[in-house]
Amino acid sequence: MAVSRPANPDSLLARQAREQFVAEVGAVFAELAEAIQARLVALADQVSNARSMQERRDALLAFQKLRAVWLDDVQRTWRKSLEPAVAVAVARDSQATQLLSLIGDEEVENNILASRLVQAVLEKTSWELNDLRLRIQRLQGGREMDTHDAFRPEVPAGVVVQAWTRCGLDRVAWALVNDVIRHHLVDHLLEAYHQANEFLIQRGVMPEIDLRPQVKRSAGGLSTRRGADAPHTGADAPGDTGAGHSDGSGLSGGRGVYSGGQGPAGSGRPMASRLADETRMLTGSTPLARVRMRAQGVIGQLKRLLGDRVSGYDMAHPTPASPALAQAISDIEATQLVPYEGGDVGNDAPALAQAVHQIRERTTTLKGKASSANEKATIEIVALMFQSILAEERIAASVRVWFARLQMPVLRVALAEPDFFGTLQHPARQLIDRMGSCVMGFDARAIGGTALEAEIKRVVQVIEQYPETGRRVFQLVHDEFQKFLAKFLTEKGATQRVVTVAQQVEQKETLAIQYTIEIRNMLNTMTVRDEIRDFLFKVWAEVLALSAVKNGPQHEETLSLKRAAVDLVWAASAKPNRSERARVIQDLPKLLQLLRQGMTQLNLDRAAQEAHLKVIGDTLADAFLSKTAAIEQSQIDIMARRLANLEDFVTDDGTGELPFDAESLELMLGIDASSIEVVSDGGSRPTEAMLGWAQELELGSWFSLDHNSKLSQAQYVWRSERKQLHLFASTDGRSYLIQARRLAAYLQAGLLVPTEEEALTVRATREALAKLDANPERLLN
């Protein structure tokens, strides 16, 4: 029986907002399909290895064939999200009950893909979504959004993912276009949420949102009052403001993304709802996710403050600075450039004190030229942020002087692009954060005169030379700084040698694993003795990998070693006729010489080599007497061709952890490696969340490392191409080469702890908010 349309005016208004939202989002799916196809066409035209090119062509052909089916499914399912929530929930509950025992890998994979999309959406839309949630809650008499409400980001994300697999498209194709789908969905959902809020505000629904009933003060700062529908499941860490702020972080009660399901756990809620809740809890519980949530909370507080205290403040539609203010900024920038002409830019403590004084002096001047409350508030907040940065004593004074010079360029950006206050991904923020995290661990003597200090100066000067370009110049120098950092952190002689060898070790071990897999596939259809198989898998694959790394996969020596594998397989097969036995006897000395040469390159000792050669010799002797069928020459030819071009067939998947230790590093370096600690695989097993965190550490960041009961301050200076090996350089001159799984285990156990969990600009924003909270009049005065 269909549920009748509600008659309550507030419910009707909520329904109208949903209809508008569904229509706006539904209109972008066709554009998304175009964007996906354009990406696949571009990828198909790129030159890569044979496997990748084939995968890209297959993905393009599949999408071209199934595009219409996928798009129709997405649009049809999305329109159904407007069905009354009770009917939808009943229908899905029924389906979930029938499939309860049939949930398998595909459903789990779909949930993971959808949860990643949801996380990306929340990182950009959390404040708009939280505002909308509160307004809908008001219209629904205090009742939260239903689990399957179209406003919930899980719903559009789930629609896109489920339709993808339902129509027959695979996850290989999804991986190729995942970023296109993510960016497209995030951008349009942000606009749709904003429009939904505007629709309700224009109709008088909570024009201003007061968070005071939801947030209480404690000695440690702000803490969220948890709702009855989201009980607290554990104590927050000391100093942790929680991942459940109602301050714009998109969170409201508990550790979920925002308050969600109705009723307590185990109350018979829909299975899909429980899965989504569990996914959100897992996503929000990782250390990296909690840091990001807290940072988003700070951004949300700032947005709320501007919306509450600055009449008409509009982050979505920026306006250019007034002529008087723009001229005043230009005049200050011109005075900053004067010291360059004389070649003298003060960078000592007195220069820093002068910079701090100038910030307040210039702020007063600029606010006097401002023509609106928007401009005054922006000037004040930027000034307070830079006051905080200049007060950071863990950054050398000489560096802070150069940071101070970024106040005017950042102010220009903040006035022209208010999303500087609204997103952590703004390039101006990212640049300051990256430079700050890299210099945080150096004192004045350690950084003075270094290439890092010179690069920071260069970056600031480039920005000052192009004041009108806005975010583009920040993005440009941010990218350049990242490239510089990758080189600078590893340019010291000892570190550079370690990096070179570690990269080669990773390449060699990865290729050895891949070669083993491919050789095993080649031999699946051949009758080959187990002794020969073991030798090829355990020894010769390593030989081929080492030669490929040292000499190149198509080098003459590598090709001869590949051919030796083919000759060995053929020689060890049955030899029923005289001519083949004569050929084996004739070629055997050369074959044994190649086998010995390869094992010598692996540094196998003489005894080990002789043991392997004896087993091979006995096997070849047995082959002379074997009555089994010989291996067809066509199979040998196919194997030879595949081995010669082995790199076209191997894959990056499933390489696992690298078998690497201190002894092999010292052997390959050829020097005393006593100052290098190799922390290889072993110890406790880290969670998937910790493995993910380990892969997202930023180069240049500082950590407290507790290894073998010795505590060190170490900088993260390098990671290998496949992210299997990670290098940390400590202040006492030691280097720590840590394998990926062990790195995650150290993070999990608290043996590796970030010196700073909060980015420089986030902390500066938090401190600015604290000052404005204590003295709100200064914002506009």
Side-chain angles (χ1 to χ4, degrees):
M1 176 178 176
V3 179
S4 60
R5 183 190 282 276
N8 184 290
D10 285 348
S11 296
L12 284 172
L13 196 54
R15 169 80 183 189
Q16 290 170 0
R18 283 191 187 89
E19 289 174 346
Q20 174 183 299
F21 178 79
V22 169
E24 289 182 2
V25 175
V28 308
F29 290 131
E31 297 176 23
L32 176 58
E34 285 287 345
I36 291 172
Q37 180 152 326
R39 165 58 62 86
L40 290 173
V41 168
L43 288 175
D45 290 338
Q46 292 179 8
V47 177
S48 183
N49 60 57
R51 181 186 179 90
S52 296
M53 293 178 69
Q54 186 61 52
E55 285 181 346
R56 293 168 181 176
R57 285 193 294 267
D58 290 346
L60 175 59
L61 291 174
F63 188 75
Q64 288 174 332
K65 178 181 177 182
L66 299 171
R67 169 179 168 174
V69 178
W70 173 75
L71 182 57
D72 180 67
D73 191 348
V74 169
Q75 292 176 326
R76 185 175 62 255
T77 309
W78 178 238
R79 286 193 296 271
K80 286 183 179 179
S81 64
L82 275 176
E83 293 178 10
V86 175
V88 173
V90 169
R92 293 188 185 179
D93 255 349
S94 174
Q95 184 181 21
T97 302
Q98 294 171 15
L99 298 178
L100 184 60
S101 62
L102 299 177
I103 288 184
D105 291 344
E106 181 172 339
E107 185 66 22
V108 171
E109 288 290 337
N110 284 348
N111 286 335
I112 292 172
L113 294 179
S115 69
R116 288 173 180 167
L117 270 182
V118 171
Q119 183 68 17
V121 170
L122 287 169
E123 285 183 359
K124 191 78 175 285
T125 68
S126 56
W127 52 86
E128 289 285 2
L129 178 56
N130 201 53
D131 288 357
L132 181 60
R133 183 191 65 78
L134 293 172
R135 290 187 172 101
I136 294 296
Q137 190 176 359
R138 168 70 64 83
L139 292 175
Q140 296 179 163
R143 181 169 54 85
E144 273 286 359
M145 291 181 184
D146 181 76
T147 306
H148 305 292
D149 197 309
F151 285 134
R152 286 184 174 273
E154 301 98 307
V155 176
V159 166
V160 171
V161 172
Q162 295 289 349
W164 187 272
T165 55
R166 209 161 35 225
C167 77
L169 290 166
D170 60 24
R171 291 184 181 84
V172 174
W174 176 275
L176 294 173
V177 298
N178 173 54
D179 59 331
V180 172
I181 295 173
R182 184 175 68 251
H183 290 309
H184 204 85
L185 205 59
V186 166
D187 291 345
H188 287 90
L189 282 176
L190 175 61
E191 180 61 25
Y193 285 135
H194 176 73
Q195 293 300 328
N197 275 312
E198 288 298 311
F199 174 83
L200 294 176
I201 290 171
Q202 291 171 7
R203 285 152 183 79
V205 182
M206 299 177 70
E208 295 185 2
I209 296 178
D210 185 5
L211 290 179
R212 284 174 296 182
Q214 294 179 286
V215 181
K216 63 180 181 181
R217 292 259 173 204
S218 66
L222 290 175
S223 63
T224 303
R225 191 172 68 192
R226 303 178 186 276
D229 62 337
H232 187 25
T233 57
D236 288 340
D240 185 350
T241 55
H245 283 306
S246 290
D247 54 12
S249 62
L251 310 173
S252 176
R255 288 187 179 273
V257 173
Y258 45 84
S259 59
Q262 305 298 312
S267 61
R269 291 192 294 117
M271 179 186 61
S273 174
R274 294 199 300 274
L275 276 172
D277 286 351
E278 290 169 5
T279 300
R280 287 195 295 274
M281 287 178 68
L282 285 172
T283 303
S285 66
T286 66
L288 184 62
R290 285 200 297 271
V291 169
R292 287 173 174 170
M293 295 284 188
R294 289 195 293 270
Q296 287 287 356
V298 174
I299 295 297
Q301 290 179 52
L302 177 58
K303 177 178 179 292
R304 190 80 60 205
L305 177 141
L306 292 170
D308 290 347
R309 298 184 184 174
V310 182
S311 177
Y313 188 86
D314 188 354
M315 189 172 289
H317 303 90
T319 55
S322 59
L325 177 58
Q327 184 59 51
I329 293 174
S330 297
D331 292 343
I332 292 174
E333 289 174 333
T335 63
Q336 282 191 165
L337 292 176
V338 171
Y340 290 150
E341 298 172 3
D344 180 26
V345 178
N347 59 6
D348 53 6
L352 177 61
Q354 182 184 0
V356 173
H357 174 72
Q358 286 178 338
I359 284 180
R360 287 306 332 157
E361 193 175 62
R362 290 169 175 174
T363 299
T364 302
T365 300
L366 292 174
K367 290 176 83 171
K369 300 291 184 180
S371 63
S372 67
N374 270 18
E375 293 181 342
K376 289 183 178 180
T378 302
I379 294 166
E380 182 66 29
I381 292 170
V382 170
L384 290 174
M385 288 177 64
F386 273 87
Q387 279 186 348
S388 172
I389 292 171
L390 296 193
E392 180 50 80
E393 295 185 352
R394 289 169 297 176
I395 300 177
S398 60
V399 176
R400 281 182 278 166
V401 168
W402 287 94
F403 275 25
R405 302 176 72 88
L406 291 176
Q407 182 194 2
M408 290 301 108
V410 168
L411 177 57
R412 277 186 179 275
V413 167
L415 288 166
E417 305 171 22
D419 67 334
F420 170 78
F421 292 139
T423 176
L424 299 170
Q425 283 73 45
H426 195 285
R429 277 186 179 273
Q430 291 178 322
L431 175 67
I432 295 171
D433 289 340
R434 290 299 287 125
M435 294 196 301
S437 68
C438 293
V439 299
M440 193 75 74
F442 293 109
D443 60 25
R445 287 170 297 178
I447 197 172
T450 65
L452 178 58
E453 184 184 44
E455 176 64 10
I456 290 174
K457 292 179 181 179
R458 186 195 71 83
V459 164
V460 173
Q461 290 173 350
V462 169
I463 292 171
E464 289 183 317
Q465 293 294 327
Y466 300 95
E468 304 292 344
T469 55
R471 79 159 56 213
R472 285 182 297 162
V473 69
F474 280 99
Q475 186 66 64
L476 172 67
V477 295
H478 174 261
D479 294 343
E480 290 177 348
F481 186 74
Q482 294 279 62
K483 294 175 183 176
F484 160 82
L485 207 56
K487 180 180 178 182
F488 167 77
L489 294 173
T490 59
E491 67 182 2
K492 294 180 182 177
T495 303
Q496 194 172 49
R497 286 197 298 273
V498 175
V499 166
T500 301
V501 172
Q503 187 69 67
Q504 289 180 346
V505 168
E506 184 190 57
Q507 292 171 355
K508 191 268 286 186
E509 299 296 350
T510 302
L511 279 175
I513 295 169
Q514 295 170 335
Y515 285 1
T516 301
I517 294 171
E518 185 57 29
I519 292 172
R520 180 178 288 115
N521 292 337
M522 292 181 196
L523 300 183
N524 277 342
T525 59
M526 299 183 187
T527 305
V528 180
R529 290 277 294 268
D530 289 342
E531 296 87 346
I532 300 301
R533 288 177 182 270
D534 287 346
F535 178 78
L536 290 174
F537 297 160
K538 297 177 181 178
V539 178
W540 209 246
E542 293 266 349
V543 171
L544 296 181
L546 181 59
S547 182
V549 170
K550 290 177 63 177
N551 305 314
Q554 295 299 312
H555 188 272
E556 182 180 351
E557 182 177 332
T558 306
L559 291 175
S560 69
L561 294 173
K562 290 178 177 180
R563 183 68 205 182
V566 179
D567 293 342
L568 178 59
V569 170
W570 179 80
S573 65
K575 295 293 173 287
N577 63 66
R578 186 186 302 271
S579 63
E580 289 183 342
R581 290 196 292 269
R583 178 182 161 192
V584 170
I585 293 171
Q586 179 183 350
D587 294 343
L588 186 57
K590 181 181 178 182
L591 174 60
L592 293 178
Q593 182 184 358
L594 279 172
L595 296 180
R596 192 182 297 279
Q597 175 186 332
M599 290 188 286
T600 300
Q601 290 181 4
L602 281 185
N603 291 296
L604 292 184
D605 59 39
R606 185 81 176 180
Q609 292 185 30
E610 292 301 331
H612 284 302
L613 292 177
K614 184 179 185 306
V615 171
I616 291 171
D618 293 344
T619 305
L620 295 181
D622 290 344
F624 274 59
L625 304 175
S626 176
K627 302 299 183 182
T628 59
I631 298 177
E632 294 289 339
Q633 185 61 42
S634 60
Q635 290 181 291
I636 294 294
D637 292 341
I638 291 173
M639 181 179 179
R641 286 195 298 271
R642 286 176 68 89
L643 273 174
N645 298 283
L646 195 55
E647 296 70 30
D648 292 340
F649 300 96
V650 298
T651 171
D652 288 343
D653 299 333
T655 55
E657 194 68 25
L658 300 180
F660 186 43
D661 54 28
E663 184 180 354
S664 60
L665 176 66
E666 187 162 340
L667 192 63
M668 295 187 72
L669 273 174
I671 62 171
D672 178 16
S674 58
S675 64
I676 302 166
E677 293 277 355
V678 176
V679 187
S680 55
D681 196 20
S684 60
R685 185 175 182 83
T687 63
E688 288 299 320
M690 288 296 172
L691 287 169
W693 185 18
Q695 299 300 332
E696 295 192 41
L697 300 182
E698 287 194 318
L699 292 176
S701 301
W702 285 85
F703 294 82
S704 175
L705 173 62
D706 184 354
H707 178 64
N708 291 343
S709 301
K710 182 179 180 181
L711 195 63
S712 305
Q713 293 300 310
Q715 189 175 30
Y716 183 36
V717 299
W718 174 83
R719 62 170 162 257
S720 61
E721 183 179 350
R722 301 175 192 275
K723 298 186 178 181
Q724 290 280 6
L725 300 173
H726 304 259
L727 186 64
F728 292 78
S730 69
T731 52
D732 61 5
R734 295 191 65 79
S735 296
Y736 297 84
L737 188 61
I738 309 180
Q739 292 186 303
R741 192 171 296 278
R742 197 71 180 277
L743 175 62
Y746 267 45
L747 288 168
Q748 182 168 292
L751 297 175
L752 185 69
V753 179
T755 302
E756 291 296 321
E757 283 196 344
E758 194 170 49
L760 187 59
T761 60
V762 173
R763 184 164 59 254
T765 304
R766 187 188 297 279
E767 292 179 1
L769 287 168
K771 291 179 180 178
L772 290 171
D773 195 27
N775 180 200
E777 296 82 8
R778 70 186 297 160
L779 183 67
L780 301 179
N781 288 346

